Amino acid sequence: MKFRAKIVDAACLNHFTRVSNMIAKLAKTCTLRISPRHLNFILSDKVASGGVSMWCELEQENFFNEFQMEGVSAENNAIYLELTSENLSRALKTAQNARALKIKLTNKHFPCLTVSIELLSVSSSSRIVTHDIPIKVIPRKLWKDLQEPTVPDCDVSIYLPVLKTMKSVVERMKNISNHLTEMLHLQIIEANRNGDLNLKIESELVCVTTHFKDLGNPPFASENASQDRNPARMAEVHVDIRKFLQFLSGQQVNPTKAICNIVRNKVVHFDLLHEDVSLQYFIPALS
Amino acid sequence: AAMLKCGMNGSQVKVFGKAVQALSRISDELWLDPSEKGLALRSVNSCRSAYGCVLFSPLFFQHYQWSTSVEMNDNNRISNLNCKLGIKSILPIFRCLNSLERNVENCKIFTRSDKCKVIFQFFCRHGIKRTHNVCFQESQPLQVIFEKNTCSNTLMIQPRVLAEAIVLFTSNQEEVTLAVTPLNACIKSSNEESMDLTNSVYSEMFVGPDEFDFFQIGVDTEITFCFKELKGMLTFSEAIRAPISIHFDIPGKPIGLSIDDMLLEANFVLATLADEPSRGSSPQSTCLSQKRKRSDVVCSNSKAGEKNSKVTEYVSGKAARKRLYPDETLTDISTLENCGSPTVKRVNRDITEVPESSVSDTEEVPGSPYLRKFACMFFGALSSDPREHFDNPFDNLATASDSEEDMNNGSYSTS
């Protein structure tokens, strides 16, 4: 198993750092999958994550000007590593004004992802910073749990409003729900094919709703045979508000594209595109 | 009664406040220690592995007055302002330093040893006057002797460079290792800590000699120390825009960081992790350190000539520490209580032969196994003029407020 890659472009480096920061906010521990054309950050829907799963994909060509990898075997030409997301984002933080960044798989006492940064300094000499991030290699037999999730047939598909606005709304709702025990951190997300999206928290005593209108629905959704005839009918899903807030907090920059797919009472699927990095995030319904 | 009275303007308050903030990183307590050299702010951490002192010269202030008291009871004891403040009481006073700088026209600090409190008065714009009365505890300050000039290695660096290095390390790593050769310097995660924490990142940064204002390495070495206490000092040096001088030697000997400005002098001394004897420290380095240790402690006091000086020097609190090298006599100073003069004289002259038995065990710091291995500071009795002891046998005695348990009725055993 081998992996070596290098970034020299400042914009690519900053973009990669932003992606890493986002992953660090979304998942404490995640899987990094390295394949010839892609890098993926994966969180599978195990009990530990409370059923939340994530699939983030970037095309390595868009970031690295050098990229070499050799997977476990010729038929299984991929590497699956488990790492603490924050370790990577912190290491990249020091690459703010770097001349070059190298990442490689090493084995110093234990397997590591070594991030090596060549910093520009005021004087003529450049400074070299190295970070050895401990990782765990995930064995082949566990790979089946870490594959790209299938997009479910959804009841409603809708474009999201500005995420920052959603985040501040959800934050306030979470604060309220903290005080009312019967709410059990429940967030209701509902949307219809008329471009309406509602975020709701409700209990016996109080109900707070924020309405977003005229959001627009992606075109393909209307082709789905299981859709109702009535476009105004809401499809709703009840999720844990804390998980929803965590997802929104991870989005530092407003994405290029953001779609929300709801499968009534089952799951909500967020499909985002940050420039050329795609992120899919699934939050299951609370039973 | 001993007294301190000084005044500052807005920008001086900002610098003073930054010093308080820097020292707050070391411990929860701060001594106000005036002398003719100026006003010293001192702080020592609970396990005695870090010490900080910022000395403001009298010229720093708009006005500066101080005095000791001479008590007219037995033996004309001279006592200083022994003033210890809780950092939690002081920090809020010096919050929002930028706005203090803008709004404060004048700040007065006044205290007297018989008053039990320090009065901080801020005369602000628009006729606003803000007064803070902070109670103090009577306690003799502790001081560390650190001979910068005898250190083999000296570096001088702009704070910005050091700050960039510190950013590398994660917050759950307390220790950092500085490795130097005549060709370069490397700041890296401590090996010991990294190996024990299975998930920690190991980081290292090489800095070339041309990044330093001064780079003199006498002996290749790798020293490990806690850097949390440093962060306060970094911010302070960035605020006053002064480079930091770093003096150090071999593992086990303390590392000293200092800032020297015309109007103030800051010194931070940190203990470093000692090599275990089993790690094979070379015989040469052992001898070197033995020699150094003695010179550290028995340093000549600049006040030796001032027989009639009103100011008293301060003796150590206990320095609890483990033996670094098996063959060597510990050069600890243990706590001295007010006792009869013959005992006092003997101890002061035979400072280097304090036996280990009189030193109590190293303080355990909960939650941090590494600190047990740190060599603790030397705290020095500074007066080397024996005659002064005859005249004023109680001059150099101090009871550190927390070490009464060392002594049994003031007798001192040298067995």
Side-chain angles (χ1 to χ4, degrees):
Chain A
M1 262 194 323
K2 270 197 225 158
F3 173 57
R4 304 173 76 92
K6 186 171 169 186
I7 303 179
V8 294
D9 180 76
C12 295
L13 187 50
N14 287 336
H15 193 15
F16 190 65
T17 306
R18 279 197 300 273
V19 173
S20 168
N21 287 340
M22 176 179 74
I23 300 296
K25 288 200 155 74
L26 295 177
K28 186 155 179 276
T29 312
C30 74
T31 302
L32 171 63
R33 174 180 177 266
I34 306 169
S35 59
R37 285 183 51 216
H38 296 113
L39 279 187
N40 294 90
F41 292 96
I42 307 166
L43 186 65
S44 75
D45 55 355
K46 298 202 192 79
V47 178
S49 61
V52 168
S53 60
M54 166 183 85
W55 178 270
C56 174
E57 182 165 292
L58 49 92
E59 264 179 70
Q60 59 89 351
E61 267 178 10
N62 294 341
F63 291 86
F64 301 93
N65 65 316
E66 276 175 36
F67 191 92
Q68 298 157 22
M69 62 97 30
E70 236 176 67
V72 168
S73 64
E75 312 85 60
N76 301 303
N77 196 18
I79 303 171
Y80 285 71
L81 307 170
E82 189 183 281
L83 57 79
T84 301
S85 324
E86 200 186 35
N87 286 346
L88 181 61
S89 64
R90 241 191 254 268
L92 292 175
K93 205 163 75 158
T94 56
Q96 285 285 322
N97 298 311
R99 196 181 269 157
L101 176 102
K102 288 191 206 150
I103 308 182
K104 55 188 180 179
L105 199 54
T106 58
N107 197 338
K108 315 181 172 182
H109 305 296
F110 40 78
C112 287
L113 207 58
T114 296
V115 176
S116 166
I117 302 162
E118 199 184 312
L119 285 172
L120 296 165
S121 65
V122 181
S123 61
S124 54
S125 65
S126 58
R127 242 179 281 156
I128 311 272
V129 179
T130 316
H131 298 281
D132 292 325
I133 302 168
I135 48 137
K136 270 193 256 190
V137 179
I138 298 177
R140 174 88 187 80
K141 60 180 189 247
L142 297 175
W143 290 12
K144 59 183 184 341
D145 297 326
L146 298 163
Q147 297 311 303
E148 182 166 5
T150 47
V151 179
D153 286 333
C154 56
D155 295 308
V156 170
S157 182
I158 189 168
Y159 288 117
L160 286 172
V162 173
L163 294 190
K164 210 163 123 183
T165 312
M166 279 185 90
K167 182 185 156 209
S168 54
V169 164
V170 175
E171 231 166 33
R172 280 157 182 73
M173 288 185 173
K174 176 178 165 294
N175 287 339
I176 297 171
S177 76
N178 278 343
H179 292 293
L180 298 165
T181 49
E182 68 266 28
M183 281 197 188
L184 300 170
H185 303 292
L186 206 79
Q187 168 92 85
I188 301 170
I189 304 174
E190 59 180 23
N192 63 23
R193 283 180 287 130
N194 273 349
D196 297 324
L197 172 75
N198 297 336
L199 299 177
K200 242 200 274 195
I201 51 170
E202 60 184 26
S203 76
E204 277 181 15
L205 296 173
V206 76
C207 172
V208 183
T209 312
T210 302
H211 304 267
F212 296 93
K213 289 181 153 14
D214 298 324
L215 292 174
N217 303 84
F220 69 87
S222 53
E223 290 165 20
N224 195 317
S226 69
Q227 299 290 323
D228 294 300
R229 305 255 172 71
N230 179 5
R233 189 184 162 205
M234 290 286 182
E236 71 175 42
V237 63
H238 298 213
V239 298
D240 186 328
I241 196 170
R242 292 166 298 187
K243 298 204 170 68
F244 185 35
L245 188 58
Q246 184 180 13
F247 164 69
L248 291 170
S249 306
Q251 314 308 317
Q252 296 286 293
V253 187
N254 209 44
T256 318
K257 177 192 93 171
I259 294 175
C260 168
N261 297 320
I262 299 176
V263 179
R264 195 172 271 125
N265 299 322
K266 278 233 152 55
V267 69
V268 61
H269 166 224
F270 296 100
D271 186 356
L272 307 186
L273 192 64
H274 283 280
E275 294 168 61
D276 47 6
V277 176
S278 79
L279 174 70
Q280 294 188 65
Y281 202 83
F282 299 82
I283 307 179
L286 286 175
S287 48
Chain B
M3 179 272 287
L4 162 71
K5 191 161 149 184
C6 61
M8 298 182 264
N9 66 20
S11 17
Q12 289 158 349
V13 166
K14 182 174 178 183
V15 175
F16 192 84
K18 288 268 181 202
V20 170
Q21 287 174 353
L23 293 170
S24 72
R25 299 288 198 138
I26 293 186
S27 97
D28 287 335
E29 292 171 334
L30 189 72
W31 278 282
L32 279 188
D33 184 17
S35 68
E36 79 279 5
K37 282 198 221 152
L39 176 61
L41 303 179
R42 298 185 203 278
S43 188
V44 179
N45 74 353
S46 56
C47 53
R48 310 290 167 97
S49 64
Y51 163 82
C53 170
V54 183
L55 173 67
F56 293 95
S57 108
L59 298 171
F60 172 83
F61 300 97
Q62 303 221 299
H63 61 88
Y64 176 75
Q65 266 174 281
W66 71 285
S67 66
T68 51
S69 75
V70 181
E71 278 169 32
M72 305 309 282
N73 51 18
D74 51 325
N75 297 1
N76 287 351
R77 183 160 60 153
I78 291 177
S79 70
N80 238 62
L81 182 72
N82 298 322
C83 169
K84 183 164 79 166
L85 299 165
I87 207 80
K88 288 197 175 77
S89 322
I90 308 274
L91 273 181
I93 300 176
F94 292 98
R95 208 171 32 189
C96 304
L97 290 172
N98 289 330
S99 92
L100 277 185
E101 186 186 26
R102 274 196 309 266
N103 294 321
V104 170
E105 284 160 6
N106 213 324
C107 166
K108 288 192 171 46
I109 304 178
F110 172 71
T111 183
R112 261 170 51 166
S113 52
D114 59 349
K115 287 238 187 275
C116 317
K117 62 183 177 185
V118 180
I119 303 169
F120 295 87
Q121 269 189 331
F122 293 89
F123 297 87
C124 308
R125 289 194 313 184
H126 313 301
I128 298 173
K129 181 168 109 176
R130 188 153 58 92
T131 309
H132 300 265
N133 297 332
V134 183
C135 290
F136 70 77
Q137 218 189 329
E138 210 179 304
S139 161
Q140 283 227 3
L142 298 178
Q143 194 177 171
V144 157
I145 302 172
F146 181 74
E147 276 301 311
K148 297 183 214 176
N149 304 323
T150 60
C151 287
S152 320
N153 303 324
T154 306
L155 307 172
M156 195 187 296
I157 198 167
Q158 293 297 328
R160 180 193 44 83
V161 180
L162 204 53
E164 280 172 21
I166 299 295
V167 147
L168 298 183
F169 301 98
T170 59
S171 54
N172 61 352
Q173 285 178 332
E174 287 192 4
E175 294 168 10
V176 74
T177 298
L178 172 64
V180 290
T181 68
L183 298 175
N184 60 24
C186 175
I187 301 172
K188 54 188 181 174
S189 316
S190 155
N191 278 330
E192 286 215 20
E193 209 169 18
S194 293
M195 304 242 228
D196 287 357
L197 302 171
T198 51
N199 203 22
S200 61
V201 178
Y202 168 79
S203 306
E204 64 178 36
M205 175 163 109
F206 280 89
V207 187
D210 49 354
E211 301 237 39
F212 292 89
D213 290 0
F214 184 79
F215 189 87
Q216 181 187 288
I217 302 297
V219 54
D220 289 13
T221 189
E222 279 196 20
I223 50 166
T224 301
F225 52 93
C226 282
F227 72 94
K228 279 192 331 185
E229 286 103 359
L230 270 196
K231 288 187 188 166
M233 201 231 187
L234 273 183
T235 326
F236 183 59
S237 82
E238 279 175 316
I240 58 176
R241 284 187 280 272
I244 301 174
S245 299
I246 310 176
H247 303 268
F248 57 103
D249 225 298
I250 54 172
K253 301 216 65 202
I255 178 171
L257 297 101
S258 59
I259 301 166
D260 232 308
D261 181 73
M262 283 188 301
L263 301 174
L264 61 85
E265 195 186 302
N267 281 293
F268 288 69
V269 186
L270 306 178
T272 67
L273 205 54
D275 278 341
E276 304 288 294
S278 59
R279 284 193 209 172
S281 34
S282 70
Q284 198 206 359
S285 64
T286 308
C287 293
L288 209 63
S289 72
Q290 279 184 357
K291 196 162 45 126
R292 291 257 151 75
K293 248 188 260 292
R294 272 160 226 274
S295 68
D296 272 351
V297 172
V298 188
C299 73
S300 61
N301 175 21
S302 59
K303 289 199 173 357
E306 297 170 30
K307 254 186 58 176
N308 299 320
S309 104
K310 294 191 195 110
V311 182
T312 56
E313 294 299 335
Y314 307 108
V315 172
S316 59
K318 78 184 169 214
R321 48 184 299 191
K322 291 219 179 294
R323 296 195 110 163
L324 299 180
Y325 302 98
D327 298 321
E328 178 171 307
T329 316
L330 279 186
T331 53
D332 291 316
I333 317 292
S334 71
T335 311
L336 305 171
E337 201 156 36
N338 279 347
C339 45
S341 44
T343 317
V344 171
K345 270 188 343 208
R346 183 159 35 111
V347 168
N348 278 334
R349 259 191 260 121
D350 298 341
I351 252 163
T352 58
E353 281 153 56
V354 168
E356 194 184 8
S357 57
S358 63
V359 177
S360 62
D361 287 342
T362 316
E363 282 176 28
E364 287 285 326
V365 179
S368 182
Y370 308 104
L371 288 173
R372 270 187 274 120
K373 298 186 212 145
F374 274 77
C376 290
M377 288 301 110
F378 309 115
F379 290 86
L382 297 182
S383 173
S384 59
D385 182 347
R387 277 173 298 166
E388 210 169 283
H389 303 154
F390 274 111
D391 297 335
N392 299 299
F394 300 107
D395 262 359
N396 293 342
L397 301 182
T399 310
S401 54
D402 60 347
S403 21
E404 259 103 296
E405 70 272 12
D406 272 0
M407 303 310 299
N408 34 3
N409 302 323
S411 65
Y412 189 87
S413 89
T414 49
S415 55

